[in-house]
Amino acid sequence: MNDKLIELPKKGRLLVVSDLHGNYNDYEAYINLWDSEDPDFHIVFLGDLIHSPYFNDKSIEILDDVIEKDKKYSNFHVLLGNHEWAHITHTDIFKDYENQREGFEHLISYKKGFIEPSITEYIRFFKTMPFFVKTANGLFLSHAGPSKKVKSIDDFEGIFDGDYNNPILYDFLWNRPTRNIYGSCNVISSNKKYTEADVFNFLNIVWSNCMVVGHSPVNGYQKLGNQLIISSSFETDEKVYLDIDLSKDILHMNHLLDCIKYLDD
């Protein structure tokens, strides 16, 4: 059994939420849309729960609640994002010239009075996070990507070998589309780009019809071929999530666009 790939059946309901970056109010609003007691009602967060560049960073409060819900509910899922990955690999990650990995450790110390054992416990939790969700009705969900290095299903399955420095996993956490949809980005290396054709080729390999990612802030959502990029909280005026009937096939992008909801509605 692969615990890094969640496979959801063709029944029930699915909410999809992208990068929160320490916004507890938005986290709570999305949780309130979800029925935790219905085992067929799933919620998926696409990674990057943590690291707010703003003063009121509630990353710790979100994480503590997420860890409890993850233990309690089988229909609650949080994917690994590049910001969580940075702590697993002890990689510095910068936004506006601030080291957010170090800033997170300072935040723990400020809010809890100590860094250990909390940072070790958080990293242990980050290592339990799955990488992907695949649904029986045609969707593939990840934090970012895809990776152009995936040429076959064997390449894809090689991601699950336990190496967090795997270059293909790296692409699924960091890659951004060729189209310039993101105004500024301070990352640990030059941006890797992918195209509509790369999305199409990857979806054929994993037998899916459409892909949903976060990572690259857009105003609400943006299409890139068969990929939908959504922004649910961070750096957007339009906070978008998906509300998907898992019993209905998602055969093309128009079916997926019908699932878009706005948090403020």
Side-chain angles (χ1 to χ4, degrees):
M1 181 176 179
N2 181 1
D3 62 357
K4 298 303 182 185
L5 173 63
I6 298 168
E7 297 187 78
L8 297 181
K10 200 173 180 181
K11 66 175 183 177
R13 185 176 171 191
L14 170 64
L15 300 184
V16 183
V17 180
S18 75
D19 315 39
L20 293 171
H21 285 296
N23 189 324
Y24 190 87
N25 288 339
D26 286 350
Y27 169 72
E28 191 172 46
Y30 288 118
I31 288 295
N32 287 338
L33 297 172
W34 167 62
D35 182 359
S36 61
E37 300 305 320
D38 181 351
D40 295 323
F41 191 163
H42 298 266
I43 188 167
V44 173
F45 293 91
L46 297 176
D48 282 6
L49 298 173
I50 60 174
H51 293 175
S52 173
Y54 309 118
F55 177 74
N56 191 26
D57 186 349
K58 298 288 188 179
S59 296
I60 304 301
E61 289 83 351
I62 291 174
L63 268 184
D64 288 346
D65 192 69
V66 160
I67 290 170
E68 288 303 310
K69 284 184 168 57
D70 185 70
K71 291 176 183 176
K72 187 175 181 180
Y73 300 109
S74 62
N75 54 347
F76 180 87
H77 316 284
V78 183
L79 302 189
L80 183 71
N82 58 304
H83 285 256
E84 290 85 17
W85 170 90
H87 292 281
I88 294 173
T89 59
H90 202 74
T91 301
D92 290 337
I93 180 170
F94 292 88
K95 189 173 289 291
D96 298 329
Y97 306 103
E98 297 290 332
N99 187 327
Q100 295 204 300
R101 184 187 61 78
E102 290 183 350
F104 180 74
E105 295 180 1
H106 294 321
L107 185 66
I108 295 171
S109 180
Y110 171 71
K111 296 209 168 183
K112 300 205 169 187
F114 47 79
I115 295 177
E116 292 290 358
S118 291
I119 186 61
T120 297
E121 291 171 354
Y122 289 143
I123 292 172
R124 186 179 298 119
F125 175 69
F126 297 156
K127 288 180 177 179
T128 71
M129 287 179 168
F131 304 154
F132 311 113
V133 172
K134 191 172 185 288
T135 70
N137 71 333
L139 289 180
F140 187 92
L141 280 57
S142 64
H143 178 65
S147 173
K148 292 188 282 188
K149 299 181 183 73
V150 176
K151 306 295 186 183
S152 68
I153 194 64
D154 289 338
D155 291 339
F156 174 69
E157 291 175 350
I159 301 171
F160 307 120
D161 66 1
D163 180 6
Y164 281 91
N165 289 305
N166 183 314
I168 296 179
L169 174 60
Y170 180 94
D171 289 349
F172 276 97
L173 298 174
W174 285 97
N175 276 12
R176 300 188 191 277
T178 300
R179 188 179 302 164
N180 183 19
I181 61 171
Y182 189 67
S184 62
C185 180
N186 301 319
V187 298
I188 60 177
S189 66
S190 60
N191 286 343
K192 296 185 177 183
K193 304 292 187 180
Y194 59 87
T195 66
E196 292 183 18
D198 295 323
V199 173
F200 178 81
N201 291 336
F202 171 72
L203 288 172
N204 279 342
I205 290 169
V206 295
W207 307 295
S208 296
N209 298 323
C210 291
M211 185 174 186
V212 182
V213 299
H215 185 54
S216 298
V218 295
N219 192 26
Y221 70 93
Q222 187 156 336
K223 298 181 294 179
L224 184 78
N226 288 342
Q227 183 182 79
L228 187 67
I229 304 163
I230 64 170
S231 287
S232 301
S233 181
F234 184 65
E235 291 190 358
T236 180
D237 295 325
E238 303 285 349
K239 297 180 179 182
V240 159
Y241 66 99
L242 300 180
D243 188 345
I244 299 164
D245 182 346
L246 289 170
S247 70
K248 296 182 178 179
D249 286 329
I250 302 293
L251 299 176
H252 48 70
M253 182 55 67
N254 286 342
H255 288 161
L256 192 55
L257 294 178
D258 289 341
C259 301
I260 290 173
K261 305 290 182 182
Y262 291 86
L263 185 60
D264 294 333
D265 285 355

